[in-house]
């Protein structure tokens, strides 16, 4: 996946590739984006991870993460399905 930065430093990801990663049509992904249900975050590496960034996108119980090097090239990516609590059970 190609990840670029705009002049403000924001990350730009290809919508078609993201839709594929989440198993969605491009139309469905864009609908989720418009409704604010696709949430993103970026973490900047420190200490031994200096120069790297981790981009995370969450949609419902699915979490896609990519680790980028200093040139913003994807070094590793993974899709995780997050487990929730069973109905009626609380976290402790």
């Amino acid at each position: 996946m190609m990840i670029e930065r705009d002049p403000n430093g924001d990350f730009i990801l290809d919508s078609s590739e993201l839709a594929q990663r989440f198993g969605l049509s491009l139309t469905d992904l864009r609908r989720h984006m418009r409704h604010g249900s696709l949430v993103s975050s970026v973490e900047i590496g420190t200490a031994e991870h200096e120069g790297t960034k981790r981009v995370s996108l969450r949609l419902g119980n699915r979490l896609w993460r990519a680790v980028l090097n200093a040139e913003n090239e994807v070094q590793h990516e993974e899709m995780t399905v997050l487990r929730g609590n069973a109905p009626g059970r609380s976290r402790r």
Side-chain angles (χ1 to χ4, degrees), residues 9-64:
D10 294 327
F11 289 89
I12 303 171
L13 290 84
D14 184 277
S15 297
S16 297
E17 289 188 49
L18 281 178
Q20 182 180 20
R21 301 275 191 307
F22 280 95
L24 299 170
S25 68
L26 185 54
T27 301
D28 285 341
L29 179 74
R30 288 185 174 158
R31 180 176 46 81
H32 286 294
M33 291 170 70
R34 278 192 310 275
H35 292 138
S37 53
L38 182 66
V39 180
S40 64
S41 66
V42 176
E43 299 168 82
I44 306 298
T46 59
E48 68 269 11
H49 300 288
E50 186 77 31
T52 65
K53 285 137 319 264
R54 182 166 60 186
V55 177
S56 300
L57 293 160
R58 183 173 178 171
L59 179 62
N61 68 339
R62 292 174 283 177
L63 176 65
W64 176 81

Side-chain angles (χ1 to χ4, degrees), residues 1-5 11-13 55 64 66 68 72 74:
M1 170 180 283
M2 183 65 150
I3 297 181
E4 300 178 28
R5 305 277 301 264
F11 289 89
I12 303 171
L13 290 84
V55 177
W64 176 81
L68 312 179
N72 298 319
V74 175

